[in-house]
């Protein structure tokens, strides 16, 4: 392992991994390959931009020639794939890009990996492939998939293609399945960064349904370290759950945020639910722990750090909340907020 292509490395979790790997492994060359969609942001990579072992290439994982070119130019021997369309609500509004990047793109990367005899291929997947998890159950890696949103189904498709290339071609693959991740540099469409930045501006906070959905919250640096542990120590052909081990009802997380921000509960608006909304995600991560990984941050500490980061870094998110972002916000929220009595 020497020349690593990190696809999707300009996004939220990918950039956290790049910032970690560039520091931790000065003897690896880290080449970020990213399409720079609305969610890709070179500001996320500013902390490493002058490091000698870091390079950036703008490219699409669904573009066969671009992938081949990057692998050949940089003598790539390892691929870590974070690249994806990632927001469930957008997958309901506009699913096409999810199939192209999360299914076709993964296939093109795998085919290139096979042809170029890539030594190790890590694919970043999600707990959403297991679907809605009832009762007190915690998903295990061997459980069947039951994805419910177009996002989750597209990620399940990519995950299964990775399995197929291991079984069929003997490609040295590993898969991580992470839970809901939060922290600095997260695009402000996901629950936590949306609510932090909106609350800072005293704007209404759209809670879907009754707010009693359960998610397992994982700090981004713990997720990045889980990926790193699996990249180096995971068994070929295996998948590993990366869990926050911190199940919370949405409404409890939101109330804690408001307390940290010193904002009133009167900002909350209970709006019509997301279509097909999964009630609960929960994973068992004993398999990853057996590789030596363990969570470094408590939820309270991680949430406080995250809130603090958005307060200190308005330069980062204010320029995102313009143009395309506002169009998306209107499409996603105008009717919902109106139904909850908020006039636009
Ligand atoms: P993100 O939306 O912040 O970033 C995605 C990145 O991928 C962006 O930089 C974007 O430009 C790039 N990208 C998208 N399509 C591309 C393409 N076709 N070619 C090249 N680059 C492309 O996403 P994130 O939250 O950092 O998620 C990263 C990975 O982790 C994804 O695979 C996601 O499914 C998975 N994941 C995310 C979470 C979470 O809570 N955010 C949890 C579990 C797993
Ligand atoms: P999200 O951050 O979109 O992640 P995911 O859908 O992948 O779990 O949402 C986290 C939870 O917060 C989910 O149950 C949906 C809910 N949610 C809201 O209640 N309001 C919102 O505006 C958003 C974006 C999410």
């Amino acid at each position: 392992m020497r020349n690593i292509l990190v696809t999707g490395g300009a996004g939220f979790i990918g950039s956290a991994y790049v910032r970690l790997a560039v520091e931790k492994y000065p003897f690896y060359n880290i080449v970020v390959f990213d399409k720079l969609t609305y969610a890709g942001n070179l500001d996320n990579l500013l902390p490493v931009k002058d490091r000698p072992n870091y390079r950036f290439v703008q490219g699409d994982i669904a573009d066969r020639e671009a992938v081949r070119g990057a692998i050949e130019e940089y003598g790539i021997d390892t691929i870590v794939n974070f690249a994806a369309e990632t927001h469930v609500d957008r997958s309901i509004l506009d699913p096409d890009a999810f199939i192209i990047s999360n299914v076709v793109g993964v296939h093109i990367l795998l085919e290139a990996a096979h042809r170029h005899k890539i030594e190790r291929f890590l694919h970043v997947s999600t707990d959403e492939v297991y679907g809605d998890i009832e009762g007190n159950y915690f998903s295990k890696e061997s459980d069947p998939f039951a994805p419910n949103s177009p996002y989750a189904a597209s990620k399940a498709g990519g995950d299964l293609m990775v399995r197929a290339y291991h079984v069929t071609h003997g490609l040295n693959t590993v898969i991580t399945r992470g839970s809901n991740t939060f922290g600095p540099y997260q695009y402000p469409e996901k629950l936590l960064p949306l609510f932090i930045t909106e609350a800072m501006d005293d704007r209404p906070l759209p809670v879907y349904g009754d707010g009693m959905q359960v998610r397992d919250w994982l700090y981004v640096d713990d997720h990045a370290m889980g990926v790193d542990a699996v990249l180096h120590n995971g068994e070929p052909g295996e998948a590993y759950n990366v869990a926050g081990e911190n199940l919370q009802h949405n409404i409890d997380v939101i109330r804690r945020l408001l307390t940290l921000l010193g904002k009133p509960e009167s900002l909350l608006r209970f709006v019509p639910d997301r279509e097909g909304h999964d009630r609960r995600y929960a994973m068992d991560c004993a398999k990853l722990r057996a590789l030596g990984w363990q969570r470094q941050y408590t939820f309270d500490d991680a949430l406080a750090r995250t809130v603090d980061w958005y307060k200190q870094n308005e330069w980062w998110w204010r320029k995102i909340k313009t143009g395309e972002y506002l169009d998306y916000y209107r499409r996603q929220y105008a009717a919902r907020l109106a139904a909850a009595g908020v006039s636009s």
Side-chain angles (χ1 to χ4, degrees):
M1 198 178 303
R2 183 165 166 75
N3 298 322
I4 307 181
L5 195 70
V6 182
T7 56
F12 164 51
I13 309 169
S15 69
Y17 183 70
V18 171
R19 295 190 301 272
L20 169 106
V22 162
E23 281 295 323
K24 187 171 174 188
Y25 305 110
F27 40 88
Y28 291 170
N29 294 310
I30 307 291
V31 181
V32 171
F33 182 90
D34 196 296
K35 185 178 176 182
L36 296 180
T37 67
Y38 77 91
N41 187 346
L42 289 176
D43 285 347
N44 302 357
L45 295 165
L46 283 176
V48 295
K49 79 173 183 13
D50 296 323
R51 304 302 293 254
N53 60 335
Y54 161 77
R55 292 283 180 282
F56 178 80
V57 178
Q58 184 167 4
D60 184 344
I61 60 166
D63 177 343
R64 212 176 281 273
E65 278 309 299
V67 169
R68 187 183 58 77
I71 290 175
E72 287 177 1
E73 180 170 356
Y74 293 99
I76 296 298
D77 53 36
T78 302
I79 295 178
V80 180
N81 178 38
F82 290 93
E85 290 292 333
T86 62
H87 192 39
V88 172
D89 290 323
R90 288 190 191 248
S91 82
I92 297 168
L93 293 171
D94 294 312
D96 293 15
F98 288 72
I99 309 306
I100 307 283
S101 293
N102 303 0
V103 184
V104 178
V106 174
H107 162 67
I108 285 174
L109 272 185
L110 286 163
E111 193 53 26
H114 169 50
R115 293 197 184 287
H116 289 84
K117 303 196 170 19
I118 292 295
E119 293 165 15
R120 184 76 150 165
F121 187 103
L122 184 145
H123 177 67
V124 177
S125 186
T126 164
D127 58 1
E128 302 197 25
V129 299
Y130 300 119
D132 202 355
I133 305 304
E134 290 181 5
N136 293 320
Y137 189 72
F138 289 79
S139 305
K140 295 194 174 49
E141 290 82 353
S142 53
D143 285 353
F145 288 179
N148 291 319
S149 69
Y151 163 68
S154 68
K155 290 296 293 184
D159 194 313
L160 289 172
M161 283 306 291
V162 175
R163 173 190 162 88
Y165 271 71
H166 173 72
V167 175
T168 306
H169 298 298
L171 190 67
N172 181 347
T173 63
V174 274
I175 294 172
T176 57
R177 299 193 185 120
S179 64
N180 277 72
T181 305
F182 69 102
Y185 299 101
Q186 186 170 28
Y187 190 87
E189 64 186 354
K190 305 274 169 37
L191 178 72
L192 287 181
L194 175 70
F195 277 33
I196 294 169
T197 56
E198 293 288 277
M200 281 173 67
D201 285 345
D202 299 305
R203 287 169 49 80
L205 305 178
V207 181
Y208 294 160
D210 61 4
M212 289 301 286
Q213 303 82 6
V214 172
R215 295 292 184 268
D216 178 10
W217 294 97
L218 170 67
Y219 191 57
V220 64
D221 289 357
D222 282 328
H223 192 157
M225 286 188 282
V227 167
D228 197 49
V230 172
L231 178 66
H232 288 91
N233 301 318
E235 284 295 319
E238 293 295 312
Y240 295 83
N241 293 339
V242 187
E245 301 178 299
N246 172 48
L247 301 188
Q248 305 263 356
H249 290 109
N250 288 347
I251 194 67
D252 295 333
V253 173
I254 293 164
R255 291 209 165 103
R256 227 187 274 205
L257 263 190
L258 291 174
T259 306
L260 282 170
L261 286 160
K263 295 290 181 180
E265 287 204 16
S266 56
L267 291 178
L268 300 183
R269 291 291 181 285
F270 288 86
V271 303
D273 210 348
R274 172 187 279 171
E275 299 83 349
H277 197 171
D278 285 334
R279 247 354 232 184
R280 178 174 178 270
Y281 298 136
M283 290 190 297
D284 177 309
C285 68
K287 194 170 166 185
L288 177 60
R289 281 165 164 284
L291 295 185
W293 173 89
Q294 64 177 41
R295 194 158 62 84
Q296 299 296 311
Y297 296 86
T298 64
F299 181 61
D300 284 347
D301 180 30
L303 195 61
R305 280 169 182 266
T306 303
V307 167
D308 200 48
W309 189 87
Y310 281 90
K311 281 165 112 175
Q312 304 296 327
N313 290 280
E314 293 190 36
W315 69 272
W316 183 86
W317 58 265
R318 286 216 181 269
K319 64 184 174 190
I320 292 174
K321 288 189 151 193
T322 55
E324 191 277 343
Y325 178 90
L326 294 179
D327 291 341
Y328 163 73
Y329 184 90
R330 267 189 291 276
R331 285 175 74 201
Q332 180 61 24
Y333 294 109
R336 281 194 162 84
L337 285 168
V342 180
S343 51
S344 50

